[in-house]
Amino acid sequence: MSTATSIQTSATPLGRDDLARLVAKDIAPGSFVNLGIGQPTLVSNYLTDEQNITLHTENGMLGMGPAAEGDQIDGDLINAGKIPVTELPGASYFHHADSFAIMRGGHLDICVLGAFQVSATGDLANWHTGAPGAIPAVGGAMDLATGAKDVFVMMTLLTREGASKIVESCTYPLTGIGCVTRVYTDKGVFLTGPDGVAVRETFGCTLEELQELVPVQLKAAPAA
Amino acid sequence: MSTATSIQTSATPLGRDDLARLVAKDIAPGSFVNLGIGQPTLVSNYLTDEQNITLHTENGMLGMGPAAEGDQIDGDLINAGKIPVTELPGASYFHHADSFAIMRGGHLDICVLGAFQVSATGDLANWHTGAPGAIPAVGGAMDLATGAKDVFVMMTLLTREGASKIVESCTYPLTGIGCVTRVYTDKGVFLTGPDGVAVRETFGCTLEELQELVPVQLKAAPAA
Amino acid sequence: MLTFVDSVQEAVSGIKDGYTVMIGGFGNAGQPFELIDALLDCGAKDLTVVNNNAGQGDQGLALLIKEGRVGKMICSFPRQSDSWHFDTRYKAGEIELELVPQGNLAERIRAAGAGIGGFFTPTGYGTMLAEGKETRIIDGRGQVFETPIHADVALIKALKADGKGNLVYRKTARNFGPIMAAAARHTIVQVSEIVPTGGLDPENVVTPGIYVNTVVRVPAGAGSTAGTEEKVA
Amino acid sequence: MLTFVDSVQEAVSGIKDGYTVMIGGFGNAGQPFELIDALLDCGAKDLTVVNNNAGQGDQGLALLIKEGRVGKMICSFPRQSDSWHFDTRYKAGEIELELVPQGNLAERIRAAGAGIGGFFTPTGYGTMLAEGKETRIIDGRGQVFETPIHADVALIKALKADGKGNLVYRKTARNFGPIMAAAARHTIVQVSEIVPTGGLDPENVVTPGIYVNTVVRVPAGAGSTAGTEEKVA
């Protein structure tokens, strides 16, 4: 744990936009990426032209552009969150089975999803609280979690009640097993996998302080 | 068997072209049809514009036109027999999985195939002699036999050696089980199915004479 | 057999009580509102409806559900900010829900059209949506057996049809249209425009006419932007 | 990662001994002759080749087989009037043959690209091509379990690519191209023309660039009309 302080890269916790900027920076040039509904959508604001990232939306498009505004709004051109979007040069449209084949066939490099919980081994829970009376709705979450080469999660580390969302074992209904490879939170970036959880960087806290918040054994990730 | 003579519709056996004309006449208007390689291809010569038949070729096209001639020949536009063909107005192209989905999903009304043997219950053998050393080649025969709503067979009733190709049980390797609904031969038209073989018409022979050639119990089909 | 009809009422007139009806669209994009309105008017009930969602606001599928015509929904995302009619019926125990991951929904519809008897997929393995389903490990991955979803009728929306029933769509309004057209026994399409046979480039046809049974022209103009889904996390 | 290269030699330079190579085309239509010639020149051997046929005449795949580079063929129709190189190798026991009904071949390739672990199909049930395979009765029909066919590399031919690797094809030369592009880890495409990004209508793209890794321009002009298949019955 001697490297603990060296992985702190920010004196304060990251806000949602700073976190989105960090995720965007970590996406390799030329990648094909799906950004989930909600917070992950913010990542698109920070992708640069030089990165040449192609965005997929599971309702049938590659080459999705920014949100549509004003006269650009077209009811026939929406993203998976049903927000009007735009089309970039080199885009393509396809039907739903072909679109999900892109995800399910392992062709997407990265998908970025929100989460309720992530387990130490990368299990994901993000679709259902399991609360009595809650209407379940899964959408494409399970396909994205299972199909992409890398699944990045973006979330606050703690619930409003202060409980860690990184857990030994998920208590919410699972979306996928062992699928999450990285977790971006306001307090740090975690690498998950069969060998447990490594911390790549911390924001506004040390690894030791982070360990007090998270009920899973943490280690420092080897320097990249 | 009192109706035996009433089903004779031709004083002589039918030639290949007459048989093709008969099959063409029996195809309902508006049908989607796949014509197998060889003798079945002749059927297309006798389809009328009024019938509004759409031809499918399993290498990726609906709306196939007649064989190409002269300047029409285009190496990128061929049928399943690899013969250059033409395109009719309202045609469409699609990839191989989509093309076979049309057959396998039960969307074709009729396919017309050649055969080595057809059994009393409509089993089809048309892809492999099973002879030692013969190189097996199946192509789309099994998909056509299994997928189309109706499978018509066109063949001579007898082999060169005089054996009936309508048999109690196929001795050649099977293409499909219980799939053939009609058999058009030079000596008569047979309706096959779970209830056995009924003869719709005979050409140049009586039902009794036909029965002497065919080792399967025949009956006269009810008048249509 | 392909027919062109003059009204959405005529188009849906063959839909009977108890039918399984696929309805195209993702949110409002590609949703055949006018056909759904006609289905509402025709009075068919005890329907099983296959759609990605379970209706939004006070239009289309949401009204079918409000009026009690839908006995069962097969969908991936019934919970939306404006899915109040489904919410009410569901909480009252008046509508059955088969919740299907969206990719399994699409692949099961595609399987029906393609004559596939069933398939194994990793999606959903180890989750409550795979409970009670056959599973096996293939190449080291847990997989779930999923079966085709067939339908009696599909109601879809396309941009143009030609005289052979060939269809092209517009942008993300394509979504479920092509696979539903292939999965249903009888496919009813509303299009903005009917062009003469030969008026669509054969290279660009998305749904070949073999999958289309009834075409009705509904001039564009309806359809607004959909409400947004609830956010996760 | 997508790259545009200047020669077919460079395009195939990563193909190694023992690879499974999908080769597009049905007869000569869509067959990427120049890429196959380059594969012949590069010397890779012990290849498993997936193609509908097993070569025709004295060109393309037939030459690969003649030169002993192909250890196994996965195809539906190896026997043609001019498939003498395959015939010779096969009868000498020098090439393995996995014979697959053409629709199963297409669907198995599609399954690989779509992440399907396996599927049941009626095609082949009760025939010698189903011997040793798992079967079950589904909805009263006998069905056979078929598994995906993956590949290390696909060699295909398209009409045009844009700067993003999106592809369009021409007429029946489309055939296996789109599904092989999706099934292979690395897809190499020869096109007649490369157009700027934005030069293909997004509605008409057949293979999205996500499935394409290497593009090389080979001007049109090669390719003749294929020999015909042997007749049945």
Side-chain angles (χ1 to χ4, degrees):
Chain A
M1 293 273 179
S2 62
T3 59
T5 53
S6 74
I7 61 172
Q8 182 163 343
T9 58
S10 156
T12 57
L14 292 197
R16 291 160 62 99
D17 285 293
D18 288 336
L19 199 59
R21 185 181 289 111
L22 178 62
V23 173
K25 190 167 68 69
D26 281 354
I27 295 176
S31 294
F32 291 86
V33 177
N34 185 299
L35 300 174
I37 295 167
Q39 191 175 349
T41 303
L42 295 176
V43 172
S44 66
N45 296 340
Y46 301 101
L47 295 171
T48 64
D49 289 348
E50 292 68 40
Q51 282 180 289
N52 190 28
I53 304 302
T54 304
L55 292 181
H56 173 255
T57 182
E58 60 262 40
N59 53 317
M61 183 187 196
L62 275 163
M64 180 174 67
E69 296 182 351
D71 288 349
Q72 295 175 320
I73 292 173
D74 178 340
D76 284 344
L77 180 47
I78 61 175
N79 68 12
K82 293 165 190 158
I83 311 276
V85 292
T86 53
E87 167 192 301
L88 295 179
S92 55
Y93 297 103
F94 25 77
H95 64 57
H96 239 79
D98 280 350
S99 186
F100 277 79
I102 288 175
M103 302 196 299
R104 295 155 64 98
H107 306 286
L108 284 184
D109 296 297
I110 295 169
C111 84
V112 185
L113 297 172
F116 297 144
Q117 290 177 326
V118 178
S119 85
T121 53
D123 294 351
L124 172 67
N126 78 345
W127 72 279
H128 188 27
T129 61
I135 295 176
V138 65
M142 289 185 180
D143 304 287
L144 285 165
T146 307
K149 290 175 197 161
D150 272 301
V151 174
F152 292 178
V153 161
M154 282 179 78
M155 62 183 191
T156 56
L157 179 61
L158 305 179
T159 66
R160 280 177 207 156
E161 294 74 30
S164 173
K165 296 182 187 171
I166 294 181
V167 294
E168 196 60 50
S169 174
C170 295
T171 54
Y172 286 112
L174 290 182
T175 307
I177 293 180
C179 53
V180 177
T181 50
R182 287 191 203 172
V183 185
Y184 289 84
T185 77
D186 53 330
K187 296 193 193 310
V189 178
F190 302 81
L191 312 182
T192 51
D195 299 331
V197 183
V199 178
R200 194 183 76 176
E201 48 193 314
T202 63
F203 311 127
C205 59
T206 63
L207 179 55
E208 288 75 10
E209 288 164 348
L210 204 54
Q211 181 67 79
E212 287 174 28
L213 299 173
V214 176
V216 166
Q217 179 64 47
L218 302 178
K219 61 189 174 195
Chain B
M1 292 274 177
S2 60
T3 59
T5 53
S6 71
I7 62 173
Q8 182 164 344
T9 58
S10 155
T12 58
L14 291 197
R16 290 160 64 100
D17 285 294
D18 286 337
L19 199 58
R21 185 181 289 113
L22 178 61
V23 174
K25 191 167 67 70
D26 281 354
I27 295 176
S31 294
F32 291 87
V33 177
N34 185 299
L35 300 175
I37 295 167
Q39 191 176 350
T41 304
L42 294 176
V43 172
S44 65
N45 298 340
Y46 302 100
L47 296 170
T48 65
D49 289 349
E50 293 66 40
Q51 282 179 288
N52 190 28
I53 304 301
T54 304
L55 293 181
H56 173 255
T57 182
E58 58 263 39
N59 53 317
M61 183 186 195
L62 276 164
M64 180 174 67
E69 296 182 352
D71 288 351
Q72 295 176 321
I73 292 173
D74 179 340
D76 286 345
L77 181 46
I78 60 176
N79 69 11
K82 294 164 190 159
I83 311 275
V85 292
T86 53
E87 166 192 303
L88 296 180
S92 55
Y93 297 104
F94 25 76
H95 64 58
H96 239 79
D98 280 350
S99 186
F100 277 80
I102 287 175
M103 301 194 300
R104 295 154 63 97
H107 306 285
L108 284 184
D109 296 298
I110 294 170
C111 84
V112 186
L113 296 172
F116 298 143
Q117 291 177 326
V118 178
S119 84
T121 53
D123 293 351
L124 173 66
N126 79 344
W127 73 281
H128 189 25
T129 62
I135 296 176
V138 65
M142 289 186 181
D143 305 287
L144 284 164
T146 307
K149 289 175 198 160
D150 272 301
V151 175
F152 292 178
V153 160
M154 282 179 78
M155 64 183 190
T156 57
L157 179 61
L158 305 180
T159 66
R160 280 175 207 158
E161 294 74 29
S164 172
K165 296 182 188 172
I166 294 182
V167 295
E168 196 61 51
S169 175
C170 296
T171 54
Y172 287 111
L174 290 181
T175 307
I177 294 180
C179 54
V180 177
T181 50
R182 286 191 204 171
V183 185
Y184 289 85
T185 77
D186 52 333
K187 296 194 194 307
V189 178
F190 303 81
L191 312 182
T192 51
D195 299 331
V197 183
V199 178
R200 195 184 73 176
E201 46 194 314
T202 63
F203 311 128
C205 60
T206 63
L207 179 55
E208 287 75 9
E209 287 164 346
L210 205 54
Q211 181 67 78
E212 288 174 26
L213 299 173
V214 175
V216 166
Q217 179 64 49
L218 303 178
K219 62 190 174 194
Chain C
M1 202 65 185
L2 175 66
T3 54
F4 291 79
V5 299
D6 291 328
S7 71
V8 289
Q9 288 73 24
E10 193 180 346
V12 305
S13 60
I15 298 179
K16 296 185 170 59
D17 292 355
Y19 266 27
T20 294
V21 181
M22 290 181 171
I23 300 180
F26 180 90
N28 287 355
Q31 196 172 157
F33 286 110
E34 288 78 3
L35 285 173
I36 302 170
D37 288 346
L39 176 57
L40 190 66
D41 290 344
C42 91
K45 61 183 190 300
D46 300 326
L47 302 174
T48 293
V49 171
V50 183
N51 180 263
N52 186 63
N53 302 104
Q56 301 174 265
D58 276 299
Q59 58 183 349
L61 174 54
L63 289 184
L64 267 185
I65 291 168
K66 179 189 179 194
E67 297 300 325
R69 304 293 175 73
V70 182
K72 179 179 178 180
M73 275 302 314
I74 301 177
C75 70
S76 88
F77 211 92
R79 185 189 69 232
Q80 310 213 152
S81 56
D82 55 354
S83 58
W84 45 73
H85 293 307
F86 175 82
D87 300 1
T88 303
R89 290 270 172 199
Y90 181 76
K91 286 177 176 164
E94 295 166 351
I95 191 166
E96 186 184 348
L97 171 65
E98 180 178 345
L99 187 71
V100 183
Q102 198 173 142
N104 284 355
L105 184 66
E107 188 69 21
R108 290 174 64 188
I109 294 168
R110 190 258 171 200
I116 300 300
F119 59 88
F120 284 94
T121 171
T123 295
Y125 181 79
T127 75
M128 58 185 266
L129 296 189
E131 280 171 16
K133 297 192 174 188
E134 177 183 349
T135 61
R136 66 174 68 171
I137 307 295
I138 298 176
D139 291 335
R141 292 196 87 178
Q143 309 218 12
V144 186
F145 188 64
E146 295 287 350
T147 55
I149 302 175
H150 294 270
D152 297 297
V153 167
L155 306 182
I156 66 172
K157 181 178 173 181
L159 179 64
K160 297 181 191 179
D162 71 8
K164 289 277 191 183
N166 294 308
L167 305 179
V168 294
Y169 300 82
R170 189 165 176 277
K171 302 187 184 286
T172 58
R174 185 184 303 195
N175 58 67
F176 286 93
I179 53 175
M180 287 182 170
R185 284 195 297 111
H186 190 99
T187 295
I188 304 168
V189 189
Q190 66 173 70
V191 296
S192 302
E193 191 184 348
I194 295 171
V195 301
T197 297
L200 297 178
D201 185 337
E203 300 285 0
N204 302 340
V205 168
V206 175
T207 293
I210 193 170
Y211 294 124
V212 175
N213 302 98
T214 303
V215 177
V216 58
R217 193 174 79 87
V218 175
S224 59
T225 302
T228 59
E229 291 192 358
E230 290 185 11
K231 290 179 184 179
V232 164
Chain D
M1 201 66 184
L2 174 67
T3 55
F4 291 80
V5 299
D6 291 327
S7 71
V8 288
Q9 287 75 24
E10 192 180 347
V12 304
S13 59
I15 299 181
K16 296 184 171 60
D17 293 353
Y19 266 26
T20 294
V21 181
M22 289 180 173
I23 301 180
F26 180 90
N28 286 356
Q31 195 171 159
F33 286 110
E34 289 78 5
L35 285 173
I36 302 169
D37 287 346
L39 176 57
L40 190 66
D41 291 342
C42 91
K45 59 183 191 300
D46 299 328
L47 302 174
T48 293
V49 171
V50 183
N51 181 263
N52 187 62
N53 301 105
Q56 299 174 264
D58 276 298
Q59 58 183 350
L61 175 54
L63 290 183
L64 267 185
I65 291 169
K66 178 188 180 194
E67 297 300 324
R69 305 294 176 71
V70 182
K72 179 178 179 181
M73 276 302 314
I74 302 176
C75 70
S76 88
F77 210 91
R79 185 190 69 233
Q80 310 213 149
S81 55
D82 55 354
S83 59
W84 44 72
H85 293 307
F86 176 81
D87 300 0
T88 303
R89 290 269 172 201
Y90 181 76
K91 287 178 174 163
E94 294 166 352
I95 193 166
E96 186 183 348
L97 171 64
E98 180 177 346
L99 187 71
V100 183
Q102 197 173 145
N104 284 356
L105 185 66
E107 188 70 20
R108 290 174 64 189
I109 294 168
R110 191 258 171 199
I116 300 299
F119 59 89
F120 284 94
T121 171
T123 294
Y125 181 80
T127 76
M128 58 184 268
L129 295 188
E131 279 171 17
K133 297 192 174 189
E134 176 181 351
T135 60
R136 66 173 68 173
I137 307 295
I138 299 176
D139 290 336
R141 292 194 86 178
Q143 309 218 12
V144 186
F145 187 64
E146 295 287 350
T147 55
I149 301 175
H150 294 271
D152 297 297
V153 168
L155 306 181
I156 66 171
K157 181 178 173 180
L159 179 64
K160 298 181 192 180
D162 71 7
K164 288 277 191 183
N166 294 308
L167 305 179
V168 294
Y169 300 81
R170 187 165 177 276
K171 302 189 183 284
T172 58
R174 184 184 304 195
N175 58 66
F176 286 93
I179 53 176
M180 288 183 170
R185 285 194 297 109
H186 188 98
T187 294
I188 303 169
V189 189
Q190 66 174 71
V191 296
S192 304
E193 191 183 348
I194 295 172
V195 300
T197 298
L200 297 178
D201 185 337
E203 300 285 0
N204 301 340
V205 168
V206 175
T207 293
I210 192 169
Y211 294 124
V212 176
N213 301 97
T214 304
V215 177
V216 59
R217 191 175 79 86
V218 175
S224 58
T225 301
T228 60
E229 290 192 0
E230 289 184 13
K231 290 179 181 178
V232 164

